[in-house]
Amino acid sequence: VEIAMLFDNLFSNSKKAKAKEITITPYSEENELEIIVADDGEGVPWENREKIFEFGFSTTYGTGLGLSHVKKILKGLNGEIRLNESFEGGCEFIIRLEAESQ
């Protein structure tokens, strides 16, 4: 359920940014899964890039819970998310999940 909520939040943000296309690209290595979620929407303005994962921050009439919740979900799954600041033509998030040590 948490993974579904994570992607729902990312897709919802893409829709708000007027994206017409969203791509999900998974990469797997020994103990790590990387998932790149990119869209062709309006992107994140430079002045907001430091704040997008903060609880309560929103550039729309939303609650500002979406990306902070995504970050919290991933932390609980031994993962992380970051914005690819060099991506042009929309927005790209890089999600990394590490396998738990046995």
Side-chain angles (χ1 to χ4, degrees):
V1 172
E2 288 183 321
I3 295 295
M5 291 172 63
L6 180 151
F7 283 106
D8 184 59
N9 279 316
L10 292 175
F11 298 160
S12 175
N13 284 353
S14 292
K15 183 178 177 182
K16 289 177 188 176
K18 299 179 173 71
K20 291 182 175 70
E21 185 174 322
I22 301 169
T23 59
I24 302 169
T25 309
Y27 298 96
S28 179
E29 293 191 19
E30 276 186 41
N31 293 323
E32 185 176 89
L33 173 64
E34 182 175 275
I35 303 167
I36 297 176
V37 180
D39 69 38
D40 63 350
E42 297 172 347
V44 179
W46 282 102
E47 64 270 14
N48 295 336
R49 292 180 181 209
E50 295 287 322
K51 302 180 262 187
I52 61 170
F53 294 107
E54 291 179 10
F55 179 82
F57 178 76
S58 177
T59 60
T60 65
Y61 294 106
T63 60
L65 301 177
L67 288 177
S68 66
H69 191 224
V70 165
K71 188 173 182 175
K72 182 179 178 182
I73 290 169
L74 286 166
K75 185 177 180 182
L77 296 172
N78 198 30
E80 63 182 20
I81 185 170
R82 70 176 176 84
L83 175 68
N84 179 355
E85 293 188 11
S86 63
F87 185 77
E88 296 180 10
C91 185
E92 181 177 89
F93 289 101
I94 300 168
I95 298 169
R96 284 202 173 100
L97 293 163
E98 292 183 28
E100 291 186 27
S101 299
Q102 297 291 337

